[in-house]
Amino acid sequence: ITNVCPLKHNLFFERFLNPDRADPPDIDVDFAWDERDDVLASVFQQYDGHAAMVCNHVLFQPRMAIREVAKVFGLMDREISQVAKRLPWFWRGHDESGADLQARLEALPEMKGLDFPKPWPEVLRLAQRIVGTPRYLSVHSGGVIITPRPIQDYVPVQRAPKGVKIVQWEKDGVEDSGLVKIDLLGNRSLGVIRDAIKNIHENEAPFDESRWEPEDDAVTQEAIAQGRTMGCFYIESPAMRLLEQKAGVGDFEHLVIHSSIIRPAANEFIREYLRRLKGGAWKPIHPLLGDILDETFGVMVYQEDVTKVAVALAGFSYAQADGLRKVMSKKDKEHALRDYKDRFFKGARARGVEERQTEAIWDMIMSFGGYSFCKPHSASYARVSFQAAFLKVHYAAEFMAAVISNQGGFYSTFAYVSEARRQGLTILTPDVNLSEIHWKGRQDFIRVGLQSIKNLSLETQARIVSLRRKGRYRSAEDFFARVRPDEGEARALIQAGALDSLAPGRDHAHLLWKLARWQRKKNRLACEGQTANLFASQGEEPLPDFPPGREIERLRSQFAVLGFLIDRHPLVLFADALPRQGLVKAADLKRHAGRRVRLAGWLITGKVVSTKHGEPMRFLTFEDETGLVETTFFPETHRRFCHMLDWGRPYILAGKVEEDYGAVTLTVDQVNLVSNRANGKNTFRLKKSEIALSLRSSQ
């Protein structure tokens, strides 16, 4: 259900409904992520006894199997995680060569440095036996069935641990039975756009949503063409931003193409698309295809293209062509696919198509296996992407505040804070008198929300904001008396700087002393059964004259409770540990295209992929204070360094700067971990979106 015009954007109606189609189409509706549960509750209330959610059949995979068996053997979580968490996501438990699980694990580069003492050999032997067997039924991300008669008349139903009713069939079984599945999906970006617009209205900035046409905004198109889309729905991933930079076009029609073509098996077709987009000569693979693929330069991009080509080239009916499209995404497709391939080649041969042309077209069809989009889906996504990109370009503070507040996206809060600073925005310290629960932006400033302070409960966050409406907090004592935070929450607020305005010019030690005095007095009065005069002035002892605190300790505290630094990139704290010369900055990489360089970068995100030969490699994103660096770790480099790569740590990378259609990446061949020895004892580290600091002994 979308507001994209099917006529304006030439959407293929037969993809939705055609005379040969026997099964009903799916219905998908996206809601803001934090509104979906209310929608589901409404559905179950209105159709009580007639509605349930679809289930997923969860099978034991290697990581899960190892964990469960190891628990039975009494191994500690830490020991189990050392093995389980290192498995690549694409790794499977079965092996056609017959090698046992332990031998295959030991061959993985991720397992470098690990051995498998008893009882691990027995654990792995038993884990291998249960891989692929059913474990439990989980709840589908949004699939709902509504039936005319009571739902148990159609399908077995049970109640999931989270409380909702689920059917015992997966989505394919539901579809085969003729039941209609409605997907009620939660989308964080809709929450981002909603909150950004609300923030804009709160700031009384000019914005008329009724006349909003972000697709026609030239500045937004230029930002998309340059890949400046971090935080923007569906077009913020490293791969997508690189594709946008290579294409160099940011209009709506091309964004729809890019949203669909960037699928895992389509790399060679992406390169051919870019060549043709840049003016390279091309013609249809066969005249029968004519103008079918004209708008995508003769390259199959959308799911509908499979249907169109099968009808035009092989004489398939719409029902047969749609069946081919559907079987592409199924896990057990090999047997059915052979039959479709035979029919496809036979039909093409009957129309005079040469075997080599049919092979080329079939290879392109195979690139849709497992993961692809139809054009209406991509067009709907592209509209949301444009709305997000428009807000980022024209209302950067409000938009980035909404991105962080909704706690979703491809990157961590740490990375979005860095991006906001690169946009020229100033991050303001959290403040009990000024911060809301969520982050708020205004002009060129973003105020940290209370939600980002570690160990601060939702109840206390709400109490701080609610009580403040009755009058600002005048002092630390006033705040403690009215809000009554527990000690851990109060310490977190102090370390985050949220109470600084209540003791201007004072060090955190001053506030911590007041907290300790308040705790002592509270405990004493509680023993005496008194609470009313908790902060009545009764000749309090004077505060000590604290010496100025060390800046490094203030930053350390800020790291611990926020997971980022307010006013600087943490990489600057490693200046003494970095080489004085020979490092380039991320923003200057393009000037070094074709040359080998060294740079210091902070690891913020990435993914492991499998090559055609089944070897693991990585695409990782690093950043410094000037920009992002997209890197490639080919299999050999991955084998050498994957065991030392961890999120949120600084590294010195060495490799060759590659430029492809204007997009710059670094092909890494050497990695060194940066260890900070500055200030004697402090080691800084950010792990999984949160910086944890530890003190090392001087030895």
Side-chain angles (χ1 to χ4, degrees), residues 618-672:
R618 289 195 188 196
F619 296 104
L620 299 178
T621 302
F622 294 81
E623 70 171 32
D624 63 15
E625 66 275 22
T626 69
L628 300 173
V629 184
E630 307 302 342
T631 68
T632 304
F633 285 66
F634 283 114
E636 175 59 29
T637 307
H638 177 266
R639 275 192 296 272
R640 290 170 59 200
F641 300 109
C642 65
H643 66 285
M644 63 184 287
L645 294 170
D646 200 359
W647 308 123
R649 300 187 68 169
Y651 296 88
I652 295 177
L653 311 173
K656 184 180 179 182
V657 180
E658 312 276 1
E659 185 172 8
D660 186 24
Y661 289 114
V664 175
T665 59
L666 181 70
T667 300
V668 177
D669 56 40
Q670 182 70 39
V671 180
N672 293 104

Side-chain angles (χ1 to χ4, degrees), residues 94-145:
H94 297 297
D95 180 29
E96 295 178 359
S97 70
D100 64 40
L101 188 58
Q102 181 173 341
R104 296 180 61 212
L105 283 174
E106 290 172 340
L108 288 173
E110 288 87 354
M111 299 298 172
K112 186 176 180 179
L114 282 183
D115 56 8
F116 296 94
K118 290 183 178 180
W120 275 108
E122 182 69 5
V123 168
L124 297 176
R125 185 185 68 81
L126 293 173
Q128 187 168 17
R129 292 178 60 184
I130 66 172
V131 169
T133 60
R135 189 189 184 200
Y136 61 86
L137 300 184
S138 68
V139 183
H140 187 274
S141 59
V144 175
I145 298 171

Side-chain angles (χ1 to χ4, degrees), residues 305-593:
D305 294 339
V306 174
T307 303
K308 292 178 182 178
V309 168
V311 170
L313 198 80
F316 276 34
S317 67
Y318 280 118
Q320 291 172 328
D322 205 44
L324 171 60
R325 174 191 65 78
K326 286 183 176 181
V327 80
M328 295 295 300
S329 63
K330 295 189 183 297
K331 298 174 184 176
D332 54 347
K333 63 185 178 184
E334 294 304 322
H335 178 73
L337 210 50
R338 282 196 295 271
D339 180 53
Y340 275 108
K341 182 177 181 179
D342 291 342
R343 278 189 280 168
F344 187 88
F345 275 72
K346 182 178 179 180
R349 203 176 300 117
R351 283 165 171 71
V353 182
E354 295 180 13
E355 195 81 2
R356 61 177 181 82
Q357 293 174 313
T358 308
E359 283 284 0
I361 295 167
W362 185 257
D363 287 344
M364 203 180 295
I365 290 175
M366 290 299 99
S367 74
F368 286 81
Y371 182 83
S372 58
F373 283 161
C374 61
K375 188 178 179 183
H377 187 286
S378 292
S380 301
Y381 272 24
R383 182 163 179 81
V384 178
S385 299
F386 251 99
Q387 291 175 340
F390 178 95
L391 292 170
K392 182 177 183 182
V393 168
H394 294 285
Y395 302 93
E398 291 90 343
F399 176 76
M400 293 306 296
V403 169
I404 298 171
S405 293
N406 281 274
Q407 305 173 54
F410 203 88
Y411 305 92
S412 66
T413 296
F414 172 89
Y416 289 126
V417 168
S418 296
E419 173 69 1
R421 276 198 295 263
R422 287 191 292 268
Q423 289 180 274
L425 301 174
T426 300
I427 312 300
L428 300 176
T429 305
D431 189 303
V432 293
N433 274 322
L434 298 172
S435 289
E436 303 293 336
I437 293 176
H438 296 138
W439 292 53
K440 293 293 181 180
R442 186 181 184 89
Q443 296 176 340
D444 294 330
F445 301 91
I446 301 179
R447 175 73 66 179
V448 176
L450 298 174
Q451 66 179 147
S452 291
I453 301 176
K454 186 179 178 181
N455 298 327
L456 189 62
S457 68
L458 290 173
E459 292 78 10
T460 301
Q461 293 173 33
R463 198 158 61 246
I464 290 171
V465 174
S466 174
L467 293 173
R468 189 177 70 207
R469 297 193 182 103
K470 301 176 183 178
R472 292 169 62 88
Y473 303 112
R474 301 182 303 278
S475 64
E477 291 86 352
D478 179 44
F479 176 81
F480 295 145
R482 291 165 62 187
V483 177
R484 305 289 180 89
D486 65 37
E487 183 176 359
E489 292 176 321
R491 285 183 173 273
L493 286 162
I494 292 170
Q495 291 168 346
L499 300 184
D500 286 359
S501 63
L502 302 182
R506 297 285 193 169
D507 190 77
H508 285 176
H510 176 89
L511 290 166
L512 289 170
W513 183 275
K514 287 190 172 185
L515 171 63
R517 190 169 65 184
W518 174 69
Q519 288 281 2
R520 189 169 63 249
K521 186 170 185 178
K522 183 181 70 169
N523 293 338
R524 188 182 74 244
L525 293 177
C527 292
E528 297 172 0
Q530 302 179 55
T531 57
N533 63 344
L534 183 57
F535 263 99
S537 178
Q538 294 180 355
E540 295 283 10
E541 69 274 15
L543 291 172
D545 186 15
F546 295 104
R550 298 173 61 201
E551 175 74 355
I552 199 70
E553 292 299 330
R554 183 185 69 82
L555 296 173
R556 179 173 176 266
S557 297
Q558 198 176 91
F559 265 128
V561 296
L562 293 179
F564 55 87
L565 289 178
I566 296 288
D567 59 355
R568 69 196 74 185
H569 193 284
L571 200 56
V572 304
L573 301 175
F574 291 78
D576 292 344
L578 298 175
R580 299 293 183 184
Q581 295 179 336
L583 296 181
V584 303
K585 296 295 185 183
D588 298 328
L589 269 187
K590 195 166 188 175
R591 299 199 327 231
H592 299 273

Side-chain angles (χ1 to χ4, degrees), residues 205-224:
F207 182 80
D208 185 356
E209 194 172 355
S210 66
R211 298 176 180 271
W212 191 24
E213 295 294 339
E215 298 94 333
D216 300 330
D217 183 66
V219 180
T220 302
Q221 292 180 5
E222 180 63 20
I224 292 173

